[in-house]
Amino acid sequence: MKHLLKLVLFTATLTITGCAQQAPTEPQNFLTNDGNVNILWQNTNDYTDIEATAGVQSKFEQYLFTQLTQELGKLANKHLAEGQQLDLTVTNVDLAGDVQPTFGASVDDIRVVTDLYPPKLDFEYTLSQNGKVIASGTEKLRNMSYLSDLQPLNNDTFRYEQKLLTEWFKKTIKPLL
């Protein structure tokens, strides 16, 4: 009986341990484009924070990537000449704020935006003209004082991250054009 109990406990321990381990997930890559702007969202499973507060996570990610691409494309396509291409490979995103549970007060979690959780974007970029590289580099964009900046009166979901990209474009890419 004693050996049977040990065998049952050993089997239960192996079962629980096996269930607790998650199978490695495949790297997720998404490619979005808007005119002369292509963005590869690389290994999105490894991003610091792209957590949805409501709805399906994959739909949220698709919306996030599309919105940021369109915002950068709206600005870049005005300034890029014919034959010029801007390619970004995003390696990390940390959205402004932090997702907190509502503990039953609502079915959805909430994103709390405070100075503790600034927006962050890490990427590599290449600006080319007719296939020839004009400029390239690696960026780690941060805005530690994003809540102190003047805020436009809009309801853009990703306004802090959009601002990081547009300011980077104006400072880094626009002078090269």
Side-chain angles (χ1 to χ4, degrees), residues 12-53:
T13 303
L14 287 177
T15 303
I16 291 171
T17 306
C19 292
Q21 294 177 348
Q22 292 182 345
T25 56
E26 290 292 317
Q28 291 290 320
N29 296 322
F30 295 95
L31 180 65
T32 55
N33 76 3
D34 187 317
N36 296 339
V37 175
N38 293 317
I39 301 181
L40 174 63
W41 305 89
Q42 189 175 56
N43 298 328
T44 61
N45 294 340
D46 297 334
Y47 287 1
T48 303
D49 175 17
I50 55 171
E51 187 176 347
T53 56

Side-chain angles (χ1 to χ4, degrees), residues 116-173:
L116 294 175
Y117 308 108
K120 301 173 187 171
L121 292 170
D122 298 347
F123 60 89
E124 298 169 358
Y125 71 92
T126 303
L127 175 64
S128 60
Q129 174 135 13
N130 299 321
K132 181 182 173 201
V133 175
I134 299 170
S136 64
T138 301
E139 297 288 345
K140 290 184 179 291
L141 305 181
R142 312 285 189 262
N143 185 354
M144 304 306 277
S145 62
Y146 72 108
L147 291 176
S148 301
D149 296 343
L150 290 175
Q151 302 298 322
L153 296 174
N154 65 33
N155 289 329
D156 289 343
T157 308
F158 309 111
R159 63 183 164 270
Y160 304 114
E161 295 77 19
Q162 290 172 346
K163 186 173 181 182
L164 280 176
L165 282 174
T166 56
E167 287 182 353
W168 166 79
F169 182 86
K170 289 175 184 175
K171 179 183 166 195
T172 307
I173 301 299

Side-chain angles (χ1 to χ4, degrees), residues 49-78:
D49 175 17
I50 55 171
E51 187 176 347
T53 56
V56 179
Q57 180 66 33
S58 61
K59 298 280 186 193
F60 176 79
E61 290 173 11
Q62 186 178 16
Y63 179 68
L64 165 68
F65 303 149
T66 301
Q67 289 297 110
L68 292 179
T69 302
Q70 287 175 350
E71 185 67 24
L72 182 59
K74 191 173 12 173
L75 176 64
N77 289 320
K78 290 178 187 175

